[in-house]
């Protein structure tokens, strides 16, 4: 059993076996190394019985769900505040949504006229289609702002580099062991189009909601086609060696070079975007895998690594978004994901 400990404290010692505490959720007292004790009421919870699940014993104090204060405060549905929060270009917000066009070159247009077989061999990313209703778009952005502020995060749609962490020079796609796929010219145009729409306040049709079992989750607020680009995984870039004992539950692999000491991860604990709240599947069960409707792909974009989240099948309105958080690594424990 463990209490959350101060960041500078030595590793906790297991409590004597004769002192038994039972998890208030599952009723079991086993796996005591993953059993947390509330600093107020002394009731216990397994890290994996909490919702959302904790990936590790947290640093600092920990309060059980009954003692923890409610921290979800709805972000105000005011255009001026939303414009400031998401740093939308002044004067660009509130207008009618223009039809999404990729600005295809003549070569791309000729490729589109090729046979269906050729088209299937070279499937391209699609830009997201923003909701036409301006008020509904504000509600979508307000839901994301609520989740970010409740999680004490600043909004960022980009990878950020902090002086005390990994420098931008460390993010070199050419260092990826086995190589990294390069984003095609056409797909890069799609990503640039989506970035420009975001700057105008034209967001993907996604809504962040709070679920008592899974915490903040993301659901489609409109029909989304297969291969639609949804968002880039954003946050602070750091070396994995600096984060091996980190309590953040959403650290994402960015670069996996041959030298393990140079492995990079994205840490969205202080800065990030809606990608932080898209949930992972339980990839140890067939039923869990059936939930997956989003794929996580790492690309070489202009020599740097980026992580993109893309729809891997058609997604109906109201359907929650899930992806395989582990990807090819299978290093993150997902056995207890709901």
């Amino acid at each position: 059993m463990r209490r959350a400990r101060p960041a500078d404290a030595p590793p906790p010692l297991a409590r004597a076996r004769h002192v038994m505490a039972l998890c208030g959720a599952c009723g079991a007292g086993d796996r005591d190394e993953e059993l947390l004790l509330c600093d107020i009421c002394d009731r216990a919870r397994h890290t994996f019985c909490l919702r959302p699940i904790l990936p590790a014993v947290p640093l600092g104090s920990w309060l059980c769900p009954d003692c923890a204060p409610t921290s979800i405060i709805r972000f105000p549905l005011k255009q001026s505040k939303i414009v400031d929060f998401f740093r939308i270009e002044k004067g660009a917000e509130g207008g009618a949504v223009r039809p999404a066009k990729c600005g295809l070159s003549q070569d791309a247009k000729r490729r589109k006229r090729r046979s269906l077989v050729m088209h299937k061999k070279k499937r391209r990313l699609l830009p997201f289609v923003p909701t036409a209703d301006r008020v509904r778009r504000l509600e979508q952005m307000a839901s994301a702002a609520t989740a970010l502020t409740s999680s004490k995060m600043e909004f960022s749609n980009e990878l950020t580099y902090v002086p005390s962490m990994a420098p931008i020079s460390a993010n070199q796609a050419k260092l990826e062991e086995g190589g990294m796929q390069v984003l095609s010219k056409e797909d890069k145009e799609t990503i640039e189009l989506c970035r420009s729409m975001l700057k105008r306040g034209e967001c993907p049709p996604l809504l962040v909601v709070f679920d008592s079992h899974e915490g903040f989750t993301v659901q489609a607020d409109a029909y989304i086609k297969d291969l639609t680009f949804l968002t880039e995984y954003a946050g602070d870039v750091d070396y994995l060696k600096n984060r091996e004992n980190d309590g953040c539950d959403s650290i994402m692999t960015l670069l996996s070079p041959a030298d393990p000491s140079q492995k990079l991860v994205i840490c969205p604990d202080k800065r990030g975007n809606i990608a932080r709240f898209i949930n992972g599947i339980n990839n140890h069960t067939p039923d869990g895998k059936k939930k997956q409707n989003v794929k996580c792909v790492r690309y070489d974009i202009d020599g740097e690594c980026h992580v993109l989240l893309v729809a891997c099948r058609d997604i109906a309105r109201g359907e929650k978004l899930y992806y395989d958080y582990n990807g090819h690594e299978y290093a993150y424990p997902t056995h207890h994901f709901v």
Side-chain angles (χ1 to χ4, degrees):
M1 296 169 291
R2 294 185 179 180
R3 288 188 185 276
R5 57 192 176 86
D8 57 350
L13 298 175
R15 183 173 290 190
R17 288 288 178 183
H18 65 272
V19 180
M20 178 60 71
L22 302 179
C23 175
C26 69
D30 59 345
R31 302 182 68 168
D32 58 354
E33 72 279 0
E34 298 177 273
L35 199 59
L36 291 169
L37 293 178
C38 177
D39 287 311
I40 292 180
C41 69
D42 256 2
R43 283 179 288 191
R45 291 286 195 284
H46 286 115
T47 55
F48 51 82
C49 286
L50 292 167
R51 296 293 183 266
I53 292 171
L54 285 181
V57 175
L59 298 177
S61 61
W62 178 79
L63 302 179
C64 71
D66 295 329
C67 296
T70 303
S71 58
I72 301 176
I73 302 174
R74 298 292 174 186
F75 196 85
L77 191 62
K78 293 184 179 179
Q79 180 169 307
S80 58
K81 289 187 176 295
I82 291 174
V83 166
D84 291 339
F85 185 87
F86 290 103
R87 297 188 289 278
I88 297 170
E89 294 175 350
K90 300 294 184 180
E93 73 286 352
V97 175
R98 290 172 286 279
K101 296 180 180 179
C102 293
L104 296 176
S105 63
Q106 290 299 317
D107 288 341
K109 290 178 181 177
R110 281 194 292 270
R111 279 193 293 271
K112 287 187 67 177
R113 289 194 290 267
R114 293 179 182 177
S115 69
L116 181 62
V117 174
M118 290 297 294
H119 179 69
K120 286 185 176 180
K121 285 183 179 179
K122 296 184 178 181
R123 303 177 74 194
R124 302 300 183 191
L125 296 183
L126 300 175
F128 59 76
V129 180
T131 301
D133 186 338
R134 180 180 63 84
V135 175
R136 189 58 179 174
R137 291 205 311 275
L138 290 177
E139 292 174 352
Q140 293 165 358
M141 288 187 282
S143 73
T146 295
L148 289 165
T149 53
S150 297
S151 303
K152 297 180 174 58
M153 291 171 56
E154 296 179 14
F155 166 73
S156 174
N157 255 336
E158 303 174 350
L159 298 177
T160 51
Y161 298 88
V162 179
S164 59
M165 301 181 192
I168 189 172
S169 59
N171 184 3
Q172 299 184 47
K174 65 182 180 182
L175 300 178
E176 175 76 10
E177 187 173 18
M180 181 176 292
Q181 56 185 322
V182 179
L183 193 69
S184 69
K185 179 181 178 182
E186 292 82 359
D187 287 348
K188 184 179 176 183
E189 290 174 352
T190 298
I191 301 302
E192 290 301 324
L193 171 63
C194 292
R195 287 173 176 171
S196 64
M197 285 195 291
L198 288 168
K199 291 179 180 178
R200 296 195 300 265
E202 298 169 5
C203 59
L206 302 174
L207 196 68
V208 184
V209 297
F210 186 80
D211 184 281
S212 60
H213 290 288
E214 299 177 82
F216 285 112
T217 65
V218 180
Q219 66 184 38
D221 203 36
Y223 170 75
I224 298 175
K225 291 183 179 180
D226 182 20
L227 284 180
T228 296
F229 168 72
L230 299 174
T231 185
E232 177 177 351
Y233 210 92
D236 294 336
V237 178
D238 201 359
Y239 292 110
L240 176 62
K241 61 185 179 182
N242 297 338
R243 299 284 183 147
E244 289 178 334
N245 298 315
D246 198 292
C248 179
D249 63 351
S250 298
I251 293 178
M252 170 65 68
T253 298
L254 179 63
L255 174 67
S256 293
D259 182 355
S261 68
Q262 299 303 305
K263 184 171 184 177
L264 298 180
V265 292
I266 305 171
C267 309
D269 50 347
K270 295 182 174 61
R271 281 164 284 273
N273 59 10
I274 198 170
R276 165 70 174 78
F277 306 107
I278 298 178
N279 283 11
I281 61 167
N282 182 335
N283 55 20
H284 298 275
T285 67
D287 288 339
K289 291 182 178 180
K290 288 179 182 178
K291 290 183 178 181
Q292 183 174 355
N293 49 23
V294 176
K295 63 180 177 180
C296 171
V297 190
R298 290 185 296 141
Y299 279 109
D300 175 345
I301 304 179
D302 296 330
E304 293 183 1
C305 307
H306 291 266
V307 179
L308 307 183
L309 297 183
V310 180
C312 61
R313 61 172 171 82
D314 292 346
I315 305 174
R317 181 179 182 181
E319 187 178 346
K320 287 184 180 180
L321 271 55
Y322 293 96
Y323 68 104
D324 188 347
Y325 190 85
N326 276 304
H328 67 283
E329 296 177 317
Y330 294 95
Y332 190 87
T334 67
H335 298 75
H336 302 284
F337 280 16
V338 293

